[in-house]
Amino acid sequence: MRRVLRALVILVGVLVLGGLGLVWYAARASLPVVSGTLTVAGLSAPLTVIRDHGGVPHIYAETAADAAYRLGFVEGQDRRLQMELARRLGEGRLAEVAGEGRREKPFAIAGVVGSSTLDIDCQMRTLGLARIAAADAATLPAEDLALFQAFSAGVNAATDLAGSSGTVRILGAAPLPWTPAASLVLTRLGDLTFAIQRYEELLSATLLAEVGAAGLNALMPPYPDELAPPLVDGDPRAAEASAAAPRLLALRHAGDIGPVLPGVGSNNWVLAGRRTASGAPILASDPHSDVNVPFYVAHLSAPGLEVEGLALFAPEFMIGHNDRIAWGVTLVGADTEDYFVEEIAAGDPPRVRTPDGWQPLTIRHESIAVRGRAEPVDVIVREGPHGPLVYDLNADEVRRALGAQGSGTPGSTYSSALAWTGGLPQPGAAHIAVARARDWESFRAALGNHPGIPLNFVYADVDGHVGYQMAGRIPLREGPAPVTPVLGWERGHAWTGMVPFDALPRVLDPEDGAIATANARITGPHYPYHLATRWCDMPYRVRRIRALLGAKPKLSLDDVAAVQMDVHADAMTDVVAWARGVESDDPGVRRFREALAGWDLEARADSMPAALVEAFRLELVHTFFEPRLSSEAFADYLWSGEGLHLVALKRIMDDPNATFFGAEPARAKTARAVAVEQAARRAIARLEGTLGSDWSAWSWGRVHTVTFEHPFAREGNPGAGVLGRLLNVGPFPAPGSPFTVDAGFWVAPVPFRVWMAPMYRQIVDLGDFRRSRWTPGPPGLAEQRLSAHYADLARPWLEGRYRPMLWARADVEADAEATLTLVPRRE
C-alpha cells in the first residue's frame, strides 16, 4: 500500500509539474516578438522600432500612416487584453465573454455602478457609446481617418501574429477586430469616467431629502475660494444675465449614486525661461488615474509626426512633446452634465412631458449576448429630449416632492434622463493636430477642435513662450447650473449652446513666469460664463505647488522633480490643531496628541503621525456625519471625496458657535468637543486593530498601500486570491495622501488603500529635449506576466526615480534593448 501511495504522490507531482510547465510554456509563447524582422501586411515601406531598457517603443517610419500602424502594432503586442476589455466595456459587450458576473455588492467600472457585468452592459447600451463612436468615425477628416485606419491595421496585425498564444484568448473568445470606432469608443469611455459632476447632483438631492438645505450646505459647503486665488478672471461687463436659481429638488434616486471619482485629478505647471536655471522653459505634468488602468507611452518619428509622450489607444497623444512644443493636462471638473426628472405616460410609444406638451419617447432595442445563456438579453432603451433615461424613480416620492407641480396624469411614472456633452457628436481628432502644432497659434487652433471632457492644458515652446488654455465643451444654459436634478417639463433649464472656445480661459507669457493647475478653480468671480460649481478638486495641491515654485527665483530640473515628489501635507495643519485641542486624561489620547504635535507634516511611508492624522480625519467624518444620515445616504456621502470632507469639517470646526451641533452655543460646543474626542479614540482603535498595540511599529505605509491589480485578479472576481498572488504587483507601502502633490488618493469607503495616483510623470526641458525625464506608466508597459517589463517600473515610480525621456536617435540606440524591423508583405 505504501508503494502505491508513493507512486500516486509521484504521479500527482509529475502531473502538477507538467501542468505548471505547460502554463509556463503558454505564458512564454504569448510574449511578443520584439527583435529581428517580421513581414506584415499594410505597410508602405520598412520601419523600425527600438525598445529601450524601460520597454518604451521608439518608432521610426517614412510616413505618418506607417508610424500610426506601428503604434497600433506595439500597443497590440503589449496591451491587447487591456484594449479588448476597455473596448468591450464601452460597447456594452463584457457579458459576452464574462457571463452575467453577478456579485453580492455593487461594483464600479469607469464610474458606472452595477451589481453584475450584465448590469454594466445594460447601462453602456443605454448611453450608446458604441453608436456615438461609430458616428464619430464616419465624420473623421480623410487625413485623420487614414491614421486611425493604419493604427487599427497595426493592432490587428499584432493580434494575428499572436494567434492562439495571445493573452486575449484567455477570455475564451477571439478578440474583436480593431477599428477606428473602437479607438473612439475608448475616448467616449474616458469622457464618461471623468464626467464627475453628474453624481454630485444625485448626492445633493439625496442629502437634501434627509437633512434639508442647511444640512446640505454643511455636508457639501461652497467651494473654498479663500484657499488659493484663481488662475484667471474676466471682464465683469460681459457677465451673464442674472436668473433665479433653480429650486432644489429633494429626491432620492433608486439607482446607485456612487462611486463619485473623489479627488480625481492631476498636476501640471510650466515655468518660463527666466524662472529656470537653464534659461529655457520647463514643463511638468503628472496625470492621476486609477492605479489598475495603466498608461502607455511611446515615441513616433516620421515626417510630419514627431512626438513622444502618453499615448492613447489611438494614433493620438494626450500629453507629451514634439520637436517644438510641449504640453500637459489636468481635469477641469466642469459642469458638463445635468439630470432631468422626466414624467412618462404609458402608451405606444410612451410619451414624455416637456415644456411644450407631451412628446413620444424614442425607443431602441439592444440585444446583449451573455456567456452561458442560450438566448440574448433584450434591453429597451428609452430616450427623451434631454437624453437617455438612466434611472427609474419612485413615483410616490416624486409626487410628494413635487406637490402641486405634478401633472396628475393617472399611471405616470418617473425617470431621470442624463444630458451630457459626451453624448453629442465629436468630429475630428484634436490630439493629432496638437502633436503637429508648431507654435501657440497652431496649438490653440488644434484645441479649438477638442470636443471631449474639458481639460486644462499648459504649454511651452522652444521659442520661450509659456501658456495655458482650457479646452472642451461646456454647456450654456437658460438659467444657472442646477445643484440637484431639475424638472424636464419646466422651462429655464434647457441647453442653448456651448461656451465659445475663444471665451474659454487662457494665459500667454504671464508676468511672474509660472502657471500651475491642479484641478482647482481656474476663473474668478468676474469671468462671464459658468464653468463649474466645485471644480474637480479642492485647491490644496495647487496652493502647495505655487508655494514651491515661488520658493526659489530659478528652478532646475531636479527642483521640478522634487516638486512632483513632494509629500508635505500642509492641508493637515488644521487637523493637527484639532487634535491638540482634544482634552482627555486617557493615556492613549495624550500620546495621540503628542505624536501629532511633533509631526513635520510629511506624509512619508515611514511616518507614524501620518497614519494617525489620516485615521483621525476619517473618524471625524464618521463621528460628525454618520449619526445624521441614513446608512444608505451616508454610504453615498463617503464617496463624495476626501477634499470635500475636509472642507466640511473645517467649516464646522471654525464655527465659533458650533451650530452644526445645536442651536444653543454652550451645549453645541460641548457636543463638538465630545465628538472630536470620540473620533480620536476611534482613530486609535482603528490603527490598533490593524497594526497592533505597539505604536513604535506603526507607519503610514503599513496601511496606505498600492497594489497594481490584474483585471482577472481584482477583489471580488472568482479566484482573485490565487490569481492575485500570481498576477498582481504589490502591495507596496505608499507615501503621499489625497492632499499632497505626490498624491496617493484613497477613499473613505475603502480606507487608506491607494486607488488613484500619478500614473505618469514627465518633465520636459524646452532648451534641450535630451535633458527631459519621465516615469512611464507603472507597473510596466507589458501585460504579459513573464515579460521583463511587466513590473519593472513599479518601484522606480514609487521611489521617484526618473528615466531619461530619450529623444535623439543616437541616445535611443545607445539604450536599445531590442530592435524589430517590419517589412511590407508582397501581395
Side-chain angles (χ1 to χ4, degrees):
M1 178 61 72
R2 289 181 179 177
R3 290 180 179 178
V4 173
L5 290 174
R6 186 179 297 114
L8 286 174
V9 170
I10 293 173
L11 177 60
V12 170
V14 169
L15 290 174
V16 169
L17 290 175
L20 290 175
L22 289 173
V23 171
W24 181 87
Y25 178 80
R28 291 289 300 175
S30 73
L31 293 176
V33 176
V34 296
S35 297
T37 301
L38 289 176
T39 300
V40 296
L43 284 180
S44 65
L47 59 82
T48 300
V49 58
I50 302 173
R51 292 178 185 261
D52 64 29
H53 279 82
V56 178
H58 301 262
I59 297 165
Y60 298 91
E62 294 184 11
T63 69
D66 281 355
Y69 177 99
R70 189 60 180 105
L71 178 61
F73 189 90
V74 296
E75 291 195 9
Q77 285 185 309
D78 292 338
R79 293 288 180 83
R80 191 64 178 87
L81 179 61
Q82 181 184 355
M83 296 172 73
E84 184 73 8
L85 291 175
R87 184 252 188 97
R88 284 184 175 275
L89 168 61
E91 293 182 351
R93 298 183 64 175
L94 280 176
E96 189 175 325
V97 294
E100 185 170 352
R102 185 164 296 280
R103 300 188 188 180
E104 292 183 5
K105 296 180 179 180
F107 61 102
I109 307 178
V112 175
V113 181
S115 56
S116 69
T117 306
L118 176 59
D119 187 22
I120 297 289
D121 280 354
C122 291
Q123 294 184 64
M124 290 301 185
R125 296 295 183 95
T126 297
L127 293 174
L129 302 191
R131 294 187 310 106
I132 300 169
D136 292 343
T139 61
L140 282 171
E143 186 178 15
D144 292 349
L145 178 60
L147 294 184
F148 273 83
Q149 290 172 331
F151 177 89
S152 300
V155 174
N156 293 328
T159 306
D160 292 342
L161 283 171
S164 61
S165 66
T167 57
V168 181
R169 295 287 176 171
I170 198 170
L171 293 174
L176 301 170
W178 203 259
T179 64
S183 290
L184 293 173
V185 83
L186 298 194
T187 300
R188 294 289 184 158
L189 186 61
D191 287 351
L192 177 66
T193 301
F194 295 110
I196 60 176
Q197 302 297 334
R198 69 187 190 278
Y199 290 122
E200 185 174 303
E201 291 183 13
L202 303 186
L203 178 59
S204 295
T206 294
L207 296 179
L208 186 69
E210 294 212 352
V211 296
L216 175 64
N217 188 62
L219 272 69
M220 301 184 72
Y223 190 84
D225 290 317
E226 67 277 5
L227 292 180
L231 181 62
V232 299
D233 210 335
D235 183 350
R237 294 171 298 177
E240 295 176 282
S242 61
R247 70 188 183 99
L248 298 177
L249 188 59
L251 185 64
R252 295 176 179 85
H253 272 63
D256 294 289
I257 293 177
V260 184
L261 291 178
V264 61
S266 304
N267 305 314
N268 65 17
W269 61 88
V270 63
L271 297 168
R274 63 182 178 277
R275 295 292 315 279
T276 72
S278 69
I282 294 176
L283 183 143
S285 186
D286 57 292
H288 302 162
S289 183
D290 188 328
V291 297
N292 297 318
V293 184
F295 287 141
Y296 194 80
V297 301
H299 171 201
L300 305 187
S301 180
L305 190 60
E306 182 90 16
V307 59
E308 182 172 29
L310 195 162
L312 303 174
F313 290 135
E316 299 182 284
F317 286 73
M318 176 63 71
I319 298 170
H321 74 87
N322 60 25
D323 60 333
R324 285 197 50 84
I325 75 165
W327 67 98
V329 304
T330 67
L331 191 63
V332 174
D335 285 337
T336 58
E337 53 279 328
D338 289 333
Y339 277 105
F340 289 82
V341 173
E342 307 283 25
E343 183 175 0
I344 311 299
D348 188 17
R351 296 169 299 145
V352 59
R353 185 183 174 196
T354 76
D356 299 313
W358 294 89
Q359 297 180 7
L361 285 171
T362 299
I363 304 298
R364 189 175 77 249
H365 288 264
E366 295 277 347
S367 180
I368 302 178
V370 182
R371 187 172 185 173
R373 289 195 183 190
E375 299 295 330
V377 173
D378 183 61
V379 176
I380 300 175
V381 178
R382 302 172 298 166
E383 292 192 32
H386 300 115
L389 306 186
V390 292
Y391 288 109
D392 288 329
L393 302 176
N394 182 299
D396 290 337
E397 188 172 332
V398 173
R399 292 188 183 99
R400 285 196 299 271
L402 298 181
Q405 290 204 26
S407 70
T409 302
S412 284
T413 60
Y414 296 87
S415 296
S416 278
L418 175 64
W420 66 305
T421 57
L424 302 175
Q426 295 187 2
H431 291 285
I432 293 177
V434 168
R436 287 176 160 154
R438 314 302 294 162
D439 52 29
W440 174 246
E441 288 72 23
S442 55
F443 177 73
R444 288 197 66 243
L447 292 184
N449 294 318
H450 170 68
I453 204 75
L455 298 172
N456 298 305
F457 286 80
V458 293
Y459 165 95
D461 64 35
V462 295
D463 295 325
H465 298 293
V466 298
Y468 160 85
Q469 175 69 59
M470 184 183 291
R473 289 189 294 190
I474 303 171
L476 296 170
R477 299 169 172 89
E478 285 182 334
V483 176
T484 64
V486 292
L487 303 179
W489 59 88
E490 190 175 73
R491 296 193 186 279
H493 311 307
W495 291 8
T496 60
M498 298 292 150
V499 177
F501 175 73
D502 282 337
L504 290 175
R506 66 180 183 271
V507 175
L508 180 63
D509 296 329
E511 186 176 347
D512 65 354
I515 303 171
T517 82
N519 316 114
R521 178 187 288 278
I522 294 297
T523 54
H526 297 143
Y527 181 74
Y529 298 101
H530 172 80
L531 301 181
T533 301
R534 298 187 188 280
W535 302 81
C536 184
D537 200 7
M538 300 304 167
Y540 295 108
R541 282 180 291 115
V542 77
R543 182 179 66 176
R544 176 65 178 169
I545 291 168
R546 289 172 180 171
L548 291 172
L549 297 182
K552 297 176 66 174
K554 293 181 183 293
L555 283 77
S556 67
L557 288 170
D558 287 342
D559 293 329
V560 172
V563 177
Q564 281 192 333
M565 300 307 302
D566 182 73
V567 292
H568 188 76
D570 57 355
M572 293 295 100
T573 302
D574 290 319
V575 184
V576 170
W578 303 336
R580 285 200 302 266
V582 175
E583 296 181 1
S584 174
D585 294 329
D586 181 275
V589 175
R590 288 203 305 271
R591 189 174 184 183
F592 162 83
R593 287 199 311 260
E594 292 166 0
L596 288 184
W599 184 37
D600 59 5
L601 297 181
E602 296 293 316
R604 299 184 307 274
D606 63 357
S607 170
M608 184 271 278
L612 269 181
V613 78
E614 289 290 79
F616 178 48
R617 181 174 61 80
L618 174 62
E619 295 300 341
L620 284 170
V621 172
H622 279 272
T623 306
F624 281 21
F625 304 127
E626 192 168 10
R628 289 164 172 77
L629 298 170
S630 67
S631 58
E632 295 83 3
F634 182 70
D636 291 333
Y637 181 67
L638 285 182
W639 283 108
S640 63
E642 307 313 305
L644 181 65
H645 296 166
L646 182 58
V647 172
L649 292 172
K650 180 172 171 54
R651 295 285 169 92
I652 293 170
M653 292 297 295
D654 286 350
D655 180 1
N657 295 320
T659 308
F660 183 78
F661 289 90
E664 201 283 306
R667 292 182 180 178
K669 286 188 283 187
T670 298
R672 181 173 64 185
V674 169
V676 173
E677 181 186 358
Q678 184 180 24
R681 292 176 184 273
R682 286 181 172 180
I684 295 167
R686 177 184 286 274
L687 293 179
E688 286 182 338
T690 303
L691 302 177
S693 59
D694 182 5
W695 286 37
S696 65
W698 290 5
S699 68
W700 178 223
R702 286 188 62 192
V703 292
H704 188 245
T705 62
V706 60
T707 300
F708 302 99
E709 293 182 327
H710 190 277
F712 296 154
R714 291 177 187 167
E715 186 177 348
N717 289 355
V722 174
L723 288 174
R725 287 188 285 274
L726 293 172
L727 300 176
N728 291 345
V729 181
F732 301 108
S737 81
F739 308 102
T740 57
V741 181
D742 181 23
F745 290 107
W746 59 271
V747 290
V750 190
F752 312 138
R753 181 178 178 179
V754 176
W755 74 285
M756 179 168 282
M759 292 294 285
Y760 169 84
R761 299 185 184 102
Q762 75 170 26
I763 302 172
V764 181
D765 187 331
L766 277 295
D768 185 350
F769 291 123
R770 300 175 69 174
R771 294 195 293 258
S772 301
R773 59 182 75 169
W774 61 358
T775 54
L781 295 185
E783 66 187 6
Q784 297 84 8
R785 184 62 185 91
L786 295 184
S787 170
H789 299 297
Y790 183 77
D792 59 318
L793 298 176
R795 286 197 178 277
W797 166 82
L798 197 65
E799 297 167 3
R801 289 188 274 127
Y802 292 77
R803 289 184 54 80
M805 197 173 184
L806 300 175
W807 180 250
R809 183 156 185 171
D811 295 336
V812 172
E813 291 176 343
D815 192 50
E817 180 182 77
T819 300
L820 179 67
T821 301
L822 296 184
V823 297
R825 178 181 298 159
R826 295 181 182 276
E827 302 296 340

